[in-house]
């Protein structure tokens, strides 16, 4: 039902766009005498711009001192084009009182639209007599907000400078402001430290600048802020040398109160502000000796950099390392705040349940003038004993926890080989279309589209259930013609969306086309009858969306032809499902519960059915190693790297457990044979598709040929780097290398678990291996695992 209502709303939306929308707002609903306010009027139309926007006479005591006009054009996802015209007036209030600004009249076509009247209050301002340190009518005043604070609470120093307009035009450089530097305070810059304004004093306009900086007192008492300094230069008259001037603001006094002793909790350690606390651990299920992080975040309005760490009493059985601290200051508002993060690394040293008691943090709230006691919940760690066979001191990389799917297996399939003939067909079709078919985006295509929708517009007046299917078909045919890919007419909506993006259609327009098709599907299969009145609006919407798509394609390609990548998406989009198998889920669950034998069995079950899954082999190696099966673990990591040479985690584990095994894996920069085939196929497709586009445009193909040859050479080089990694075997335990393939053969050497050797021959149940330069022998296949 919700989907049906959404579709009907989408159908009706273009009709609503024909209305004219007007609005008016004031930048502030109260000002001080002599200050200015901005009256902002917005007019939104779907057709012509307004002829005029007229401001009615203002009440006595208000004057207009400036005006500006702007126009923007916006296109909605439904394809509607809206013109937004703005008119702003800068108004100054000269007489205190409560007023109502009259409505603004907007003339659009033959109609007059009016905005709502707006109330405003003009307040009495402070005395504007020039201070004794004014220079050439330039004034500088300072103030503190607030003037009475607690230790650790923010006080903002504000210096306000006023420049006569006549002087500002003769300034030779911007004025320079030097903030005071009082002792006993922590200073912090504020966002937009300089705020520009306009002021009227005794009928003369002044430009104003407000300079701000935040301070946090460290000790109580009465503190004096030294004057702020303002330096500026100007010419008395044109042609004369610039004169330098300097102004000082008044010295200001702030009263800093100590944090109250009454009601102060014993755990209070100096935090001041309006704060909250969040506590968490990275993992609450771990093994003995396995580290995790305990994180405490304190956030809110405060000087977060100076917040002290909470007290953490470690329970028995838990080793705790000193905390690290980090702060993120949030400066989006005049009141500074942010997040202070405290992190402890904790390591359990005995199995069982370890309970981390609640962590308490106390902060004094200077606004509410009370102590805020924050307390976390208890955290329980489930610690299991370390499994036999795990090697102390080796910190494996964490498991990936999800299968990767590996390099697509269909790269080696006959269907993939046959698919490489498709670009040749596209190339031939491009040549043939020059004589037989109109180019996508041509005038003929546009005329066919318009004629198609003119007929549908007539049918829409008496639409039946079948009308929606015919409309859907017309839209799909128009998209296929615009993309130059007739086969895309039957493609799924998601494939069409991706093809449009690849062809250069803006994301918003492609999304509008996809939503249009999805909306039609919902209407077609919705229960009950659809109101025929919805049909004309849907046809209009389809016209707008398709026109926008065709226009964007013309801009993207110069003549409306779809980009080759868009066509390729329609024909080369094999769906590679990568869902997690049940065996993999069981393996991850068992691994996180420290049941490594069960995890290893489940991981091996998964890779048996997904042998190209590099992450599956890597996770299996971790489980096998922790289960004490070092040889099989090394073999799994080697398989993972051979499937994906850039598997950094598997390389790191091999480097810790069996560094010599890295000689049997391809270099990091190499690519696998399947990746080589896939890359070459991609170059083949892109080259022929680009040639097809060039043929249609009758342009030179030299650059395309050069780029293709260079790409093939690079892929061949990377693929060659991945070759030469022949068969190898990993010893599962103490394997004996013998001179002959028989149990009675002379023992040459013993291979400990996890050692890789090169395989050079096979005979029945024996394999011939090379263990070193010139050293060869035979090993029983039951004692090794080939990779």
């Amino acid at each position: 039902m919700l989907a049906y209502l959404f579709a009907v709303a989408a159908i009706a939306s273009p009709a609503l766009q024909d209305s004219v929308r007007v609005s008016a707002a004031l930048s502030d609903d109260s000002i001080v005498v002599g200050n200015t306010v901005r009256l902002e009027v917005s007019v939104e139309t779907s057709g012509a711009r307004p002829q005029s926007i007229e401001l009615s006479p203002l009440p006595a005591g208000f004057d207009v001192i400036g005006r500006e006009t702007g126009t923007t054009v916006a296109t909605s996802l439904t394809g509607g084009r809206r013109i937004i015209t703005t008119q702003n007036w800068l108004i100054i209030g000269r007489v205190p009182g409560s007023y109502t600004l009259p409505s603004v009249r907007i003339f659009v076509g033959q109609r007059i639209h009016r905005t709502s009247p707006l109330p405003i209050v003009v307040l009495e301002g402070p005395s504007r007599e020039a201070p004794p340190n004014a220079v050439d009518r330039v004034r500088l005043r300072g103030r503190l907000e607030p003037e009475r604070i607690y230790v650790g609470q923010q006080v903002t120093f504000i210096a306000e400078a006023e420049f006569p307009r006549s002087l500002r035009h003769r300034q030779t450089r911007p004025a320079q402001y030097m903030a005071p530097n009082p002792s006993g305070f922590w200073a912090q810059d504020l966002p937009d430290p300089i705020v520009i304004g306009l002021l009227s004093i005794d009928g003369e306009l002044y430009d104003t600048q407000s300079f701000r900086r935040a301070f946090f007192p460290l000790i109580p008492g009465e503190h004096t802020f030294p004057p702020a300094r303002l330096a500026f230069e100007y010419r008395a008259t044109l042609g004369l040398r610039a004169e330098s001037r300097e102004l000082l603001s008044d010295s200001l006094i702030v009263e800093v109160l100590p944090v109250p002793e009454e009601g102060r909790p014993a755990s209070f350690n100096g935090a001041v502000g309006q704060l909250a606390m969040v506590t968490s651990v990275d993992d609450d299920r771990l093994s003995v000796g396995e580290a995790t992080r305990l994180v405490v975040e304190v956030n809110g309005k405060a000087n977060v950099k100076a917040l002290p760490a909470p007290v953490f009493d470690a329970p028995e059985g838990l080793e705790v390392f000193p905390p690290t601290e980090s702060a993120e200051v949030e400066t989006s508002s005049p009141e500074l705040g942010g997040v202070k993060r405290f992190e402890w690394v904790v390591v359990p040293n005995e199995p069982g349940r370890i309970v981390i008691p609640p962590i308490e943090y106390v902060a004094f709230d200077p606004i509410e003038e009370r102590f805020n006691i924050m307390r976390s919940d208890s955290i329980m760690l489930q610690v299991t004993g370390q499994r036999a066979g795990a090697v102390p001191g080796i910190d494996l990389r964490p498991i990936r926890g999800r299968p990767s799917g590996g390099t697509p297996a269909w790269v080696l399939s006959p269907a993939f080989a046959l698919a490489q003939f498709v670009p040749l067909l596209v190339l031939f079709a491009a040549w043939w279309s020059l004589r037989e078919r109109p180019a996508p985006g041509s005038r003929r295509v546009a005329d066919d589209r318009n004629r198609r929708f003119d007929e549908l517009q007539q049918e829409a007046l008496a639409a039946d259930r079948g009308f929606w299917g015919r409309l859907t078909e017309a839209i799909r045919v128009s998209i296929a013609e615009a993309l130059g890919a007739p086969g895309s007419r039957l493609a799924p909506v998601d494939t069409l969306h991706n093809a449009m993006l690849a062809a250069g259609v803006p994301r918003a327009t492609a999304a509008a086309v996809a939503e249009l098709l999805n909306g039609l599907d919902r209407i077609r299969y919705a229960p009950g009858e659809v109101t025929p009145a919805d049909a004309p609006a849907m046809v209009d919407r389809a016209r707008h969306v398709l026109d926008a798509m065709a226009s964007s394609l013309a801009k993207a390609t110069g003549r409306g032809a779809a980009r080759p990548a868009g066509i390729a998406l329609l024909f080369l989009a094999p769906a590679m499902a990568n869902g997690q198998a049940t065996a993999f889920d069981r393996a991850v669950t068992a691994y996180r519960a420290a049941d490594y034998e069960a995890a290893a069995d489940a991981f091996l079950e998964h890779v048996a059915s997904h042998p190209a899954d590099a992450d599956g082999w890597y996770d299996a190696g971790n489980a096998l190693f922790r289960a004490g099966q070092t040889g099989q673990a090394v073999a799994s990591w080697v398989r993972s790297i051979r499937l994906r040479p850039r598997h950094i985690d598997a390389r790191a584990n091999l480097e810790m457990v069996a560094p010599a095994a890295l000689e049997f894996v391809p270099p990091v920069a190499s690519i696998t044979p399947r990746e080589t085939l896939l890359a070459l196929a991609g170059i083949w497709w892109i080259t022929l598709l680009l040639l097809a586009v060039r043929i249609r445009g009758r342009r030179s193909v030299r650059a395309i040929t050069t780029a293709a040859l260079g790409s093939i050479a690079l892929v061949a080089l990377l693929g060659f780097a991945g070759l030469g990694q022949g068969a190898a075997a990993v010893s599962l335990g103490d394997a004996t290398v013998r001179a002959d393939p028989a149990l009675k053969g002379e023992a040459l050497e013993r291979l400990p678990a996890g050692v890789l050797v090169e395989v050079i021959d096979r005979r029945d149940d024996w394999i011939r291996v090379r263990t070193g330069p010139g050293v060869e022998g035979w090993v029983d296949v039951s004692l090794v695992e080939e990779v």
Side-chain angles (χ1 to χ4, degrees):
M1 185 62 185
L2 289 176
Y4 174 74
L5 293 176
F6 178 82
V8 173
I11 295 171
S13 60
L16 295 177
Q17 292 179 358
D18 293 335
S19 61
V20 177
R21 303 172 186 170
V22 301
S23 62
L26 291 171
S27 58
D28 203 340
D29 56 4
S30 65
I31 57 173
V32 176
V33 169
N35 283 1
T36 57
V37 67
R38 185 180 298 274
L39 172 60
E40 303 170 347
V41 175
S42 174
V43 184
E44 185 177 348
T45 60
S46 59
R49 296 177 175 85
Q51 290 94 332
S52 64
I53 303 175
E54 297 182 359
L55 178 64
S56 302
L58 298 174
F62 286 91
D63 291 317
V64 176
I65 61 175
R67 185 181 68 175
E68 61 181 13
T69 304
T71 302
T72 57
V73 178
T75 302
S76 67
L77 289 178
T78 57
R81 181 174 178 269
R82 308 290 291 175
I83 299 175
I84 303 173
T85 304
T86 58
Q87 180 81 61
N88 298 331
W89 288 272
L90 195 61
I91 301 172
I92 191 168
R94 302 188 185 279
V95 181
S98 298
Y99 301 91
T100 299
L101 299 184
S103 59
V104 178
R105 296 185 301 170
I106 299 100
F107 295 84
V108 181
Q110 302 299 321
R111 297 187 58 188
I112 301 176
H113 303 266
R114 289 180 171 84
T115 64
S116 301
L118 299 172
I120 187 172
V121 177
V122 181
L123 306 173
E124 285 280 3
S127 173
R128 285 293 175 181
E129 295 180 0
N133 56 351
V135 175
D136 297 323
R137 293 184 298 138
V138 178
R139 313 162 189 238
L140 180 65
R141 293 180 172 85
R143 72 175 191 273
L144 294 172
E145 293 182 354
E147 298 179 349
R148 181 175 176 271
I149 57 174
Y150 285 93
V151 169
Q153 182 183 356
Q154 177 179 332
V155 59
T156 305
F157 181 89
I158 303 172
E160 297 177 328
E162 301 164 359
F163 299 87
R165 273 285 175 92
S166 58
L167 179 65
R168 290 284 285 177
H169 295 313
R170 291 183 278 115
Q171 278 187 257
T172 57
R173 67 175 62 180
Q176 293 184 341
Y177 167 74
M178 288 142 280
N181 187 23
S183 59
F185 286 81
W186 180 311
Q188 176 68 50
D189 289 331
L190 288 169
D192 301 324
I194 301 178
V195 180
I196 307 299
L198 188 64
L199 185 67
S200 175
I201 303 176
D202 297 331
E204 183 179 3
L205 290 179
Y206 282 73
D207 289 318
T208 64
Q209 290 184 358
S210 296
F211 307 90
R212 304 176 303 155
R213 178 169 289 185
F215 293 89
F216 296 89
L218 304 177
I219 55 176
E222 193 173 80
H223 297 267
T224 300
F225 271 71
R229 298 170 57 203
L230 179 71
F232 60 97
E233 289 184 2
Y234 72 99
R235 301 181 188 276
T237 58
L238 186 62
L240 293 182
R241 185 178 179 181
E243 300 179 10
S244 299
R245 295 287 186 270
E246 184 174 292
L247 277 177
L248 298 178
S249 69
D250 297 330
S251 296
L252 302 174
I253 296 177
V254 62
E255 181 182 2
V256 180
L257 303 176
V259 175
E261 295 285 347
E262 182 179 356
R264 179 188 296 185
S267 57
F268 176 73
N269 56 1
V272 175
Q274 295 178 294
L275 300 170
M277 182 181 68
V278 178
T279 305
S280 63
V281 292
D282 287 348
D283 194 355
D284 58 0
R285 302 178 68 88
L286 57 161
S287 304
V288 171
E290 185 178 355
T292 189
R293 288 187 312 157
L294 170 65
V295 182
V296 175
E297 291 184 351
V298 182
N299 62 84
K301 298 294 184 182
N303 182 16
V304 293
K305 289 184 177 180
L307 290 178
V311 176
F312 174 39
D313 296 325
E316 292 291 334
L318 196 66
E319 182 181 3
V320 179
F321 294 87
T324 60
E325 302 180 5
S326 61
E328 298 176 8
V329 179
E330 175 60 49
T331 60
S332 59
S333 66
E335 292 185 58
L336 294 179
V339 178
K340 184 69 172 285
R341 186 175 292 105
F342 306 93
E343 298 180 1
W344 290 264
V345 175
V346 297
V347 181
N349 49 33
E350 61 183 40
R353 294 183 177 181
I354 299 179
V355 178
I356 298 177
I359 296 176
E360 185 175 279
Y361 199 78
V362 179
F364 177 70
D365 187 337
I367 306 301
E368 300 291 335
E369 296 186 326
R370 64 179 181 85
F371 290 95
N372 178 23
I373 302 176
M374 296 161 279
R375 185 177 289 106
S376 70
D377 295 331
S378 299
I379 299 175
M380 180 178 294
L381 302 180
Q382 187 71 35
V383 185
T384 59
Q386 192 170 18
R387 292 287 179 181
V391 180
I394 293 183
D395 186 16
L396 295 180
R397 294 290 182 93
I399 63 171
R400 293 297 178 91
R402 58 185 180 186
S404 63
T407 307
W410 45 262
V411 172
L412 303 179
S413 66
F416 181 76
L418 291 175
Q420 307 315 308
F421 291 96
V422 173
L424 291 174
L425 299 177
V426 175
L427 188 63
F428 175 78
W431 171 78
W432 184 261
S433 65
L434 288 177
R435 304 187 310 154
E436 301 294 334
R437 303 178 57 187
S442 67
R443 185 63 186 175
R444 178 178 166 185
V445 171
D447 291 342
D448 289 345
R449 184 174 66 250
N450 290 331
R451 183 170 57 256
R452 193 178 300 127
F453 280 92
D454 287 341
E455 295 173 357
L456 287 170
Q457 193 74 58
Q458 296 298 323
E459 295 181 29
L461 300 177
D464 55 6
R465 172 71 67 174
F467 168 79
W468 304 108
R470 294 191 295 275
L471 177 57
T472 301
E473 176 68 12
I475 294 172
R476 285 181 167 273
V477 169
S478 300
I479 296 172
E481 290 178 347
L483 294 176
S488 66
R489 183 173 61 85
L490 302 177
V493 174
D494 290 343
T495 303
L496 285 176
H497 178 268
N498 294 334
M500 286 185 286
L501 293 179
V505 177
R507 187 171 297 277
T509 303
V513 174
E515 177 56 32
L516 175 65
L517 290 173
N518 288 328
L520 282 171
D521 287 342
R522 288 192 291 268
I523 294 174
R524 291 172 64 189
Y525 303 111
E529 293 296 328
V530 180
T531 306
D534 298 334
M538 183 61 86
V539 175
D540 286 339
R541 178 185 173 191
R543 281 181 184 271
H544 289 309
V545 171
L546 293 175
D547 287 345
M549 182 193 68
S551 175
S552 59
L553 282 173
K555 293 179 181 178
T557 63
R559 59 190 182 96
R563 292 180 182 175
I567 303 173
L569 280 172
L570 297 173
F571 295 100
L572 186 60
M576 299 303 297
N578 195 22
Q580 289 191 357
T582 303
F584 198 95
D585 292 336
R586 288 189 282 105
V588 173
T589 301
Y591 188 93
R592 290 175 176 166
D595 189 355
Y596 299 122
E597 284 96 347
D601 293 340
F603 276 131
L604 291 175
E605 179 183 344
H606 168 76
V607 295
S609 57
H610 300 79
D613 185 359
D615 284 342
W617 282 110
Y618 164 74
D619 288 352
N622 281 31
L624 289 164
F625 181 78
R626 291 195 180 278
Q629 303 176 48
T630 304
Q632 287 184 295
V634 172
S636 296
W637 290 328
V638 170
R639 286 192 175 98
S640 175
I641 298 174
R642 288 192 171 188
L643 287 168
R644 191 194 303 163
R646 295 163 298 283
H647 205 303
I648 303 302
D649 289 340
R651 287 182 178 274
N653 285 352
L654 271 185
E655 189 172 1
M656 287 186 290
V657 176
L662 293 174
E663 299 178 6
F664 293 85
V665 297
V668 176
S670 62
I671 59 178
T672 63
R674 288 183 180 180
E675 292 173 335
T676 302
L677 286 176
L678 192 59
L680 291 175
I683 296 171
W684 166 254
W685 274 73
I686 293 173
T687 301
L688 291 189
L689 292 174
L690 287 176
L691 287 175
V693 174
R694 289 290 186 177
I695 287 174
R696 290 176 59 87
R698 294 184 172 88
R699 302 176 185 176
S700 172
V701 299
R702 182 180 302 171
I704 296 176
T705 305
T706 303
L709 292 176
S711 301
I712 292 173
L714 177 61
V715 170
L717 180 63
L718 295 177
F720 181 78
L723 299 178
Q725 305 300 326
V730 182
S731 57
L732 301 179
D734 286 337
T736 302
V737 180
R738 300 184 181 275
D740 300 304
L743 294 177
K744 295 182 179 179
E746 179 187 356
L748 300 179
E749 62 177 303
R750 301 182 69 84
L751 301 177
V755 174
L756 263 79
V757 290
E758 182 184 355
V759 177
I760 57 177
D761 193 9
R762 291 176 178 82
R763 184 182 302 175
D764 297 330
D765 293 334
W766 294 82
I767 60 173
R768 188 173 181 84
V769 299
R770 180 180 289 119
T771 60
V775 181
E776 298 179 1
W778 296 86
V779 179
D780 188 341
V781 294
S782 64
L783 302 179
V784 296
E785 180 171 346
E786 295 185 69
V787 293

